[in-house]
Amino acid sequence: MSRSPSTFPWPATLTADRLVLRPIEAGDVPAMVRLWTDAEVRRHLGGPVDKETLRVRERHCVGVRGAFSVTLRTDGSVIGGVQLEPDARRAGRIEVSYQLLPEHWGFGYGREAVAAAVDWVCDWGREATTSGGEEVVAVTQEANVRSRRLLESIGMRQTEAFVEWGAAQVLYVAGPRD
């Protein structure tokens, strides 16, 4: 890697067949709050965030570098979020994280959104670095079978297993792609 992952172009809008990923806007905050407080969404993420964390996120999520609202192309409604950020624990590689509102699970939206984000980072990395590209990582609980299937379905490969936050975790890696 010759360039810091934090230099990926921002703001950015990504498109997929049925989705648009765009920076979080003020009108998206209620949907983000649902993602952060829904017990089912947060089941493998340590549970709903506490009130203080929620207040901070509400005030500071709009336009944050690497934070996308996932919206339907048909009507622009927010169905989830995708975050791309350098992870110091993983040698600064970009980590992708994602959440969808439960009523949108099971339709392939998560796979489509995460694939668009990972492909964008890998494509940017291929153009911006001399090493042939960027690696993107994702961490999920070993018990989160749906998330693991999603990551594997877009070609990410499991490279590590470890315990963190009191639970067995797995690390997936994508890229650099040819």
Side-chain angles (χ1 to χ4, degrees):
M1 249 179 328
S2 65
R3 206 179 244 206
S4 166
S6 63
T7 62
F8 61 72
W10 193 259
T13 299
L14 313 178
T15 57
D17 290 341
R18 301 173 294 164
L19 305 172
V20 175
L21 284 69
R22 57 164 174 71
I24 297 172
E25 299 173 354
D28 304 341
V29 173
M32 295 299 129
V33 168
R34 280 193 59 210
L35 290 170
W36 300 325
T37 59
D38 184 283
E40 188 60 22
V41 172
R42 303 284 307 170
R43 183 165 141 207
H44 296 287
L45 298 169
V49 299
D50 63 71
K51 289 180 183 179
E52 182 55 32
T53 300
L54 182 61
R55 282 193 290 274
V56 170
R57 286 184 182 185
E58 284 177 297
R59 286 192 308 267
H60 300 289
C61 69
V62 174
V64 167
R65 178 180 201 77
F68 293 94
S69 285
V70 177
T71 66
L72 293 176
R73 287 181 86 166
T74 55
D75 65 6
S77 60
V78 178
I79 65 167
V82 169
Q83 177 82 28
L84 295 169
E85 59 188 335
D87 186 342
R89 299 170 304 158
R90 316 256 184 278
R93 294 181 290 183
I94 294 176
E95 181 174 356
V96 62
S97 56
Y98 46 91
Q99 300 173 26
L100 286 182
L101 296 170
E103 62 268 25
H104 299 286
W105 294 357
F107 298 101
Y109 295 133
R111 181 179 60 249
E112 196 171 321
V114 175
V118 168
D119 287 347
W120 179 67
V121 171
C122 289
D123 288 346
W124 164 81
R126 198 171 28 255
E127 295 170 10
T129 67
T130 58
S131 64
E134 288 290 331
E135 284 189 332
V136 179
V137 298
V139 176
T140 190
Q141 281 189 7
E142 187 176 280
N144 191 345
V145 175
R146 290 177 81 157
S147 183
R148 295 179 69 189
R149 266 196 313 247
L150 181 155
L151 296 170
E152 291 165 3
S153 77
I154 66 167
M156 294 186 84
R157 61 198 180 283
Q158 181 183 337
T159 60
E160 290 179 45
F162 54 95
V163 174
E164 192 172 50
W165 302 300
Q169 309 284 332
V170 287
L171 174 77
Y172 284 84
V173 177
R177 296 184 181 189
D178 298 321

